[in-house]
Amino acid sequence: MNRWSRVGAVIVAGASLVVLSGCSVNTALWGADGARVIDTTEQLIDAASSGEQDTLACEGSAADFGDSQAWEELSAGEPEEFNGETSVDRPLLDAAWRINLEGTANGRVSGDISPTDVFYREVDDSLCVADIIWQTIDLGEDN
């Protein structure tokens, strides 16, 4: 068996284990908590794209959800546990998780602002949005 055949066999075996165990790829990669953060982020993107994001905001949160068009074509990135004591971006924020947002710049121009990171707090076995980081898009001189 050549190298590429072995690689393919490992991929097929790994995918089979995920399917047979009944867990999603996100659960296999990020664990149950990480998969929950990803799922919640996909729900947030859908809600924010249609202007219905307020149901996901934490009570007392000052998170800026911005313009609904800014959320279009985004997807959940990689979740990580959040530690406010070591965070440069949001020191001492009361949050449990942080996830980056990924997407394309289709239709966007330099100077537009876009959400790039979402912070979640755990409340009553669910997640709510504690804060959002927005950044200015810089597509460079050629775009």
Side-chain angles (χ1 to χ4, degrees):
M1 182 181 286
N2 70 29
R3 178 176 180 229
W4 293 112
S5 295
R6 285 191 299 268
V7 169
V10 168
I11 291 171
V12 169
S16 298
L17 285 174
V18 168
V19 170
L20 292 174
S21 68
C23 66
S24 72
V25 172
N26 285 335
T27 302
L29 290 173
W30 303 106
D33 289 335
R36 182 172 61 127
V37 172
I38 291 170
D39 291 343
T40 301
T41 303
E42 293 297 340
Q43 293 170 18
L44 170 63
I45 292 166
D46 289 343
S49 294
S50 61
E52 300 173 4
Q53 70 280 352
D54 292 337
T55 59
L56 293 168
C58 296
E59 186 174 323
S61 169
D64 176 10
F65 290 96
D67 180 17
S68 62
Q69 291 180 341
W71 293 85
E72 293 175 2
E73 298 184 35
L74 294 178
S75 62
E78 299 176 357
E80 63 181 88
E81 290 187 58
F82 177 74
N83 182 342
E85 293 179 8
T86 60
S87 173
V88 174
D89 299 325
R90 296 295 190 265
L92 305 178
L93 177 66
D94 179 17
W97 290 93
R98 176 183 188 154
I99 188 168
N100 63 307
L101 301 173
E102 300 173 346
T104 63
N106 289 343
R108 296 189 172 107
V109 296
S110 288
D112 286 351
I113 59 170
S114 181
T116 58
D117 294 84
V118 178
F119 300 86
Y120 292 105
R121 186 176 305 145
E122 293 192 38
V123 178
D124 299 329
D125 295 326
S126 65
L127 298 172
C128 63
V129 177
D131 204 358
I132 301 167
I133 291 179
W134 288 76
Q135 293 183 354
T136 303
I137 296 173
D138 180 5
L139 298 175
E141 294 177 30
D142 295 332
N143 294 318

